[in-house]
C-alpha cells in the first residue's frame, strides 16, 4: 500500500485511474472528501507523500469519477459528475508546475539585417519576473 486516504481531510473514494509524470509522481482524483466534501485532485510521490492540488466545492465541480488526462499543453484535464452552475458537472483544467517543461533558452539567431533573436519556451500566463 502506497497511501491510505483519510476522508476528510485528504479525500476518499478514488474511483478512477491515475496518470504519471516523467519523475514518477502519480496524479488522480477522489470523488469525496477534502475541504468541502466534494472530492480532490492529488499528487502522490512514489515514497507515499500526498499533496492535495485542488478541492472541489460544488461551484467548481463535484465528485470526479473519471481518470485525469495530461494534455499536450502539459495541463491535467478531467470531468466531474456533479457541481457547476446547473449541478450537471464540469470539465476542468489544472496547471501543475511540476508538469510544465523547464525554461529552455534556444541558441541566439543573427538575422541578415543584423537583428539578434533570443527565444525560449514558456507557458501562457506564467510570470517569469521572479
Amino acid at each position: 500500500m502506497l497511501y491510505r486516504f483519510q476522508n476528510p481531510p485528504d479525500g476518499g473514494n478514488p474511483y478512477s485511474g491515475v496518470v504519471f509524470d516523467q519523475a514518477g509522481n502519480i496524479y488522480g482524483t477522489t470523488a469525496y472528501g477534502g475541504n468541502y466534501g466534494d472530492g480532490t485532485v492529488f499528487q502522490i510521490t512514489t515514497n507515499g507523500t500526498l499533496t492535495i492540488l485542488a478541492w472541489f466545492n460544488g461551484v467548481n465541480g463535484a465528485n470526479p469519477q473519471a481518470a485525469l488526462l495530461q494534455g499536450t499543453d502539459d495541463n491535467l484535464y478531467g470531468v466531474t459528475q456533479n457541481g457547476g452552475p446547473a449541478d450537471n458537472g464540469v470539465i476542468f483544467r489544472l496547471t501543475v508546475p511540476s508538469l510544465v517543461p523547464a525554461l529552455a533558452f534556444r541558441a541566439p539567431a543573427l538575422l541578415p539585417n543584423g537583428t539578434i533573436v533570443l527565444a525560449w519556451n514558456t507557458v501562457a500566463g506564467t510570470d517569469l519576473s521572479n
Side-chain angles (χ1 to χ4, degrees):
M1 178 173 59
L2 186 61
Y3 187 82
R4 181 176 167 227
F5 288 95
Q6 305 293 314
N7 184 21
D10 55 0
N13 305 91
Y15 289 119
S16 61
V18 296
V19 295
F20 293 83
D21 66 13
Q22 291 180 351
N25 296 311
I26 302 164
Y27 298 86
T29 61
T30 64
Y32 300 98
N35 285 353
Y36 306 98
D38 292 327
T40 66
V41 179
F42 64 86
Q43 174 198 55
I44 188 167
T45 63
T46 54
N47 67 4
T49 302
L50 182 88
T51 302
I52 300 299
L53 302 174
W55 291 271
F56 293 101
N57 62 14
V59 175
N60 67 352
N63 316 114
Q65 295 183 21
L68 295 170
L69 297 173
Q70 185 175 356
T72 57
D73 59 0
D74 293 311
N75 289 306
L76 294 176
Y77 291 85
V79 297
T80 67
Q81 179 177 347
N82 301 306
D87 200 29
N88 291 321
V90 302
I91 298 172
F92 65 90
R93 175 181 60 212
L94 183 65
T95 300
V96 180
S98 64
L99 293 175
V100 176
L103 185 64
F105 289 92
R106 296 185 192 99
L110 179 60
L111 300 180
N113 66 1
T115 302
I116 297 175
V117 177
L118 302 174
W120 56 91
N121 69 328
T122 187
V123 175
T126 301
D127 180 4
L128 299 176
S129 63
N130 295 348

